[in-house]
Amino acid sequence: ETPVVEQYLEEIQELAQANGSFFHCAVIPDLRDLEPDFARDYPGLFTRIEPKLVPITEDHYNLEEEHLNISGHEFYGEYLMGLMEK
């Protein structure tokens, strides 16, 4: 069975395409696994939608909070802007 999140992403993708808009699914990796294997780690997810893995590094995280730091947020924003320009 297709995970509900994939169903929602497909609906969003279809709406974007129907309105002449682009659609990108960008995934920020977890600090503990910066290069996840989607098929192994999330079976059934991303089978029909190919996500873009944001090339975040450990330097982009506040290690104590395990959350993006200021430079990580800036990097992510720039990455998204780059996707929109393509």
Side-chain angles (χ1 to χ4, degrees):
E1 184 175 343
T2 303
V4 69
V5 70
E6 180 119 348
Q7 295 171 22
Y8 290 147
L9 289 172
E10 287 175 352
E11 289 178 26
I12 294 167
Q13 182 180 37
E14 289 169 7
L15 285 170
Q17 290 173 344
N19 289 288
S21 297
F22 69 91
F23 172 84
H24 293 291
C25 177
V27 174
I28 300 172
D30 188 284
L31 175 60
R32 293 174 293 268
D33 188 7
L34 295 173
E35 295 182 22
D37 178 331
F38 293 121
R40 179 196 69 219
D41 300 336
Y42 307 97
L45 187 59
F46 302 128
T47 58
R48 296 189 291 250
I49 291 179
E50 186 174 337
K52 311 253 189 283
L53 184 62
V54 182
I56 294 281
T57 68
E58 193 174 277
D59 293 337
H60 294 116
Y61 279 92
N62 175 322
L63 299 179
E64 289 180 19
E65 296 177 10
E66 296 185 6
H67 187 79
L68 294 179
N69 58 26
I70 292 172
S71 71
H73 283 280
E74 289 172 351
F75 181 86
Y76 182 56
E78 290 170 9
Y79 181 82
L80 291 178
M81 291 300 293
L83 289 178
M84 289 189 272
E85 292 171 355
K86 292 182 179 180

